[in-house]
Amino acid sequence: MVGTKRTLWKRLTGILTGYKSSGQSQNRSQKSPAVTRRAKQAVLSIPHYFRVLARIRRPSELYGWVYFKYPYLFPLRDFPPHLCVEVTNKCNFSCKHCYRTATPRPQGEMEVTLFEKIVREVSLQGSFGSFKLLGAGEAALHSRFRELMGILAHSTIPGVVWTNGSLLHLCSHREILSWGLKTVVVSIDGVDAEDYERIRIGGHYASLRKALMDFSECRESSGCRSPIIEIRHTIMPNETATQLRQFRKTWLETADSVKFGTLSTGPGEIEDPSRPKCRPIRREMDIWWDGTARLCGGRYWRESLGDIRHSTVSELWRHPRLENMRECHERRDFAQVPLCLKCRQCI
């Protein structure tokens, strides 16, 4: 019976983490932390997945969701299903675990004309997943943020804005509702007010909670079904499952969904030849405020595919360097992409 339970647990964690045996032996103590971390995140996010599925109305939406979760089951899309567009890398927080503090870059904001160019190309796509205003900064700090949102609002693109909560303070609630966004994602780390303000330096827990409650009430009174309010929480090493379940319960009093993510540790991570194939390189593209399209959002983030000002998204999506990386992952040939062995972007 014990052996059967252990086998079932291995299968479950394998499904949740995407791990498959590579035929190479590996120290159990090395592999367990990554597997456990991913399994914990996946299990705690199951209610979130059910809520997402409950909102699906069309077959194309279901296909898009399954493709996002299991992109290797399908032919590669001709256009990235999801775009992460960093309109600025300026931020008013100094979060202890944020990669922007460890990898400083020149600060700036995307030109409105460049944003328009990207939106126009995306608008030509018959089916598209999401246009995420997401990067190393707080999108709402862009000096012409309202103009950018107006451009997005006049398209049929499903927009998603990631915020540390500043959006809800800098813009009126009715103004946010007028943009026709699909989702507003609010990053909230720490299991309580004390933890939050220790981790997310610059934030104020009580004022954020009130702003979210007010925004939710405004949405309801306006008869709007969107944007969906989604809370994103990064699981810290000392947080217990009990604390995380309570966190979810607390924030679901205000938000529509709570999704958990894992904390990526530093350069000292072990090489993991049994790691899963990278999903992001088949489903999304990151564009920085200066027009740089990144090879990936993981360990090769410094490598550029080109400048979106002089190329199209479609051209860069099929860039030979990115195609080669996809082929390496497909074959599980990590010798050509050694940094991928230490990456936790999709684990």
Side-chain angles (χ1 to χ4, degrees), residues 12 16 39-53 65 248 257-260:
L12 175 62
L16 293 174
K40 184 178 183 181
Q41 177 266 330
V43 170
L44 286 166
S45 295
I46 286 175
H48 164 81
Y49 298 144
F50 277 122
R51 290 185 178 90
V52 171
L53 289 169
W65 187 85
R248 180 173 58 204
S257 184
V258 175
K259 175 75 168 61
F260 294 94

Side-chain angles (χ1 to χ4, degrees), residues 321-339:
R321 180 72 178 90
L322 184 53
E323 291 282 55
N324 178 66
M325 179 175 277
R326 292 181 183 125
E327 291 171 5
C328 290
H329 275 263
E330 186 69 56
R331 301 191 306 266
R332 301 189 62 79
D333 177 12
F334 297 118
Q336 296 186 54
V337 284
L339 291 182

Side-chain angles (χ1 to χ4, degrees), residues 300-338:
Y300 287 97
W301 67 272
R302 293 180 184 276
E303 293 196 27
S304 168
L305 294 173
D307 192 328
I308 203 69
R309 290 173 295 186
H310 310 301
S311 303
T312 64
V313 174
S314 297
E315 290 169 348
L316 298 178
W317 180 242
R318 289 289 189 169
H319 191 283
R321 180 72 178 90
L322 184 53
E323 291 282 55
N324 178 66
M325 179 175 277
R326 292 181 183 125
E327 291 171 5
C328 290
H329 275 263
E330 186 69 56
R331 301 191 306 266
R332 301 189 62 79
D333 177 12
F334 297 118
Q336 296 186 54
V337 284

Side-chain angles (χ1 to χ4, degrees), residues 93 169 193 196-197 200-210:
F93 281 20
H169 297 295
Y196 172 84
E197 291 174 16
R200 300 190 73 83
I201 300 171
H204 189 264
Y205 188 89
S207 63
L208 174 57
R209 185 160 173 77
K210 184 180 186 306

